[in-house]
């Protein structure tokens, strides 16, 4: 018999026609772990689905299912192992870097890989970069390996993510280039990083707007660029975000000029994720 080419083919004969209709065939891969959504109609068949996925994708050791949206200020997504090795520690590679990611304890998404390289290409020699909401370090570590920056300051609130951020800095041998700071951007930035950065990246699309002030005041007096992510309605994606940026800059006694904007990805039928790059003077 021919080897099945995809999940649907692998499960034909094992799931009913109705069940196959409910099956989600797309999944995220985080290194050796696949993360899939299983709709409630297929809950009783989740082990079967996980095992089929492992069979057609032998590069995975574990299949996890998502059982809820990203939660709380640490943005952790509840997941559960449904097949393969019973562990959630992924080893993930991106742009010449390696990351250890404990998927049960920290936020991680491979979906912004394009953004990390896009920004890396803009970083000039000697820049000091503020990597807010750093998680386990994909933005600052990829910047350090793929740009001529002087230093990245990686700020993260979740102690588990901070611990892994420090481990990933060592794993990628960027100790001299990336400094990890445990704490709340709201407190750490005004205290230690006022006027310190040439560039700031803000990958917190839900709620990031309440940290715009901290990003703006952290930019050097001679100016610098902020990369700001947001979830916005499909039908009116940019106007309110741009207004917010201009208002916050004004309140801080600075000026903001929009230099780039684009849709990063679809989030739900009514919502997209965008990035807006702006120069603060
Ligand atoms: C959406 S995740 C992005 C993580 C990482 N940059 C990535 O792309 O994988 C947001 C991260 O910000 C952290 N965070 C949330 N509020 C914070 C705050 N006030 N100060 C510092 N970090 C914060 C969360 O713990 C989480 O790790």
């Amino acid at each position: 018999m021919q080897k099945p080419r995809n999940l649907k083919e692998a499960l034909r004969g094992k799931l009913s026609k109705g069940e196959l209709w409910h099956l989600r065939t797309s999944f995220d891969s985080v290194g050796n772990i696949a993360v899939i959504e299983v709709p409630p109609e297929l809950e009783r068949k989740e082990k079967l689905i996980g095992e089929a996925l492992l069979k057609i994708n032998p590069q995975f050791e574990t299949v996890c299912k998502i059982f809820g949206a990203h939660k709380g200020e640490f943005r952790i997504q509840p997941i559960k192992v449904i097949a393969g090795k019973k562990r959630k520690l992924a080893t993930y590679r991106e742009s010449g870097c390696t990351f250890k990611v404990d998927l049960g304890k920290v936020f991680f998404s491979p979906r912004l890989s394009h953004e990390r390289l896009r920004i890396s290409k803009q970083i000039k020699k000697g820049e000091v970069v503020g990597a807010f909401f750093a998680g386990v370090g994909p933005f600052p570590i990829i910047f350090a390996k793929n740009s001529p920056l002087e230093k990245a300051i990686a700020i993260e609130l979740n102690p588990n993510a901070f611990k892994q951020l420090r481990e990933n800095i060592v794993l990628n041998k960027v100790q001299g280039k990336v400094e990890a700071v445990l704490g709340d951007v709201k407190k750490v930035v005004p205290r230690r990083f006022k006027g310190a950065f040439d560039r700031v990246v803000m990958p917190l699309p839900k709620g990031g707007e309440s940290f715009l002030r901290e990003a703006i005041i952290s930019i050097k007096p001679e100016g610098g660029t902020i990369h700001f992510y947001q979830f916005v309605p499909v039908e009116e994606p940019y106007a309110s975000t741009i207004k917010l940026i201009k208002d916050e800059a004004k309140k801080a006694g600075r000026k903001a000029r929009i230099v780039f904007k684009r849709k990063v990805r679809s989030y739900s039928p009514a919502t997209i994720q965008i990035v807006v790059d702006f120069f603060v003077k």
Side-chain angles (χ1 to χ4, degrees):
M1 207 173 79
Q2 249 192 349
K3 196 174 174 260
R5 284 168 303 175
N6 55 43
L7 196 54
K8 222 165 213 167
E9 273 187 23
L11 287 163
R12 211 159 271 151
K14 293 181 182 159
L15 297 185
S16 71
K17 251 192 180 157
E19 287 171 335
L20 280 172
W21 189 83
H22 286 293
L23 185 69
R24 306 266 162 86
T25 50
S26 64
F27 54 87
D28 266 344
S29 66
V30 185
N32 48 334
I33 299 185
V35 183
I36 190 167
E37 273 184 59
V38 179
E41 295 83 357
L42 295 180
E43 216 160 78
R44 285 184 306 129
K45 301 289 171 73
E46 64 189 29
K47 190 161 187 262
L48 205 64
I49 295 169
E51 279 164 359
L53 190 59
L54 284 180
K55 210 173 226 171
I56 52 175
N57 298 283
Q59 74 272 27
F60 296 128
E61 292 176 354
T62 302
V63 178
C64 291
K65 87 159 181 176
I66 297 168
F67 65 96
H70 288 98
K71 276 202 306 216
E73 57 182 353
F74 297 162
R75 310 305 300 143
I76 297 167
Q77 185 156 47
I79 59 166
K80 171 187 156 194
V81 174
I82 56 171
K85 285 192 186 161
K86 288 217 169 327
R87 52 187 247 154
K88 298 179 194 164
L89 184 67
T91 305
Y92 168 77
R93 290 192 177 82
E94 183 183 311
S95 302
C97 304
T98 303
F99 300 93
K100 295 278 185 194
V101 188
D102 194 334
L103 287 174
K105 295 185 181 161
V106 303
F107 171 95
F108 189 79
S109 167
R111 294 183 189 180
L112 293 185
S113 55
H114 176 90
E115 279 297 302
R116 302 193 251 267
L117 270 192
R118 181 181 76 81
I119 298 170
S120 296
K121 286 185 196 138
Q122 294 177 25
I123 298 175
K124 295 187 198 74
K125 192 167 187 300
E127 279 194 17
V128 181
V129 179
F132 291 8
F133 321 116
V136 303
F139 279 89
I141 292 171
I142 287 172
F143 294 166
K145 282 275 196 179
N146 293 277
S147 85
L149 60 65
E150 168 76 22
K151 192 155 200 145
I153 305 293
I155 308 172
E156 173 54 49
L157 187 61
N158 173 356
N160 286 319
F162 172 75
K163 185 169 165 275
Q164 256 178 353
L165 165 64
R166 294 226 297 200
E167 287 166 5
N168 287 329
I169 289 171
V170 175
L171 191 63
N172 290 283
K173 302 189 177 66
V174 289
Q175 292 95 317
K177 296 209 156 184
V178 182
E179 183 185 331
V181 176
L182 173 64
D184 182 342
V185 161
K186 263 229 170 331
K187 295 183 185 149
V188 168
V189 169
R191 230 180 263 156
R192 290 183 52 192
F193 300 108
K194 242 176 152 177
F197 301 134
D198 297 286
R199 186 180 299 276
V200 168
V201 59
M202 299 180 69
L204 184 68
K206 215 173 216 154
E209 62 280 3
S210 60
F211 298 89
L212 268 173
R213 181 181 164 75
E214 285 67 32
I216 289 165
I217 65 165
S218 76
I219 292 290
K220 288 182 176 173
E222 59 267 37
T225 302
I226 298 179
H227 306 274
F228 180 53
Y229 296 86
Q230 282 274 273
F231 289 132
V232 294
V234 184
E235 70 275 8
E236 204 254 48
Y238 298 109
S240 58
T241 299
I242 290 172
K243 183 173 180 324
L244 207 65
I245 289 169
K246 299 238 168 183
D247 288 351
E248 281 300 329
K250 202 169 173 191
K251 273 193 241 163
R254 312 278 297 251
K255 273 197 178 134
R257 176 167 48 86
I258 309 300
V259 289
F260 178 81
K261 58 185 192 309
R262 78 169 185 113
K263 170 182 165 182
V264 176
R265 65 185 184 102
S266 294
Y267 179 70
S268 71
T271 311
I272 58 169
Q273 185 174 3
I274 58 162
V275 60
V276 177
D277 296 352
F278 60 101
F279 189 81
V280 171
K281 193 86 179 131

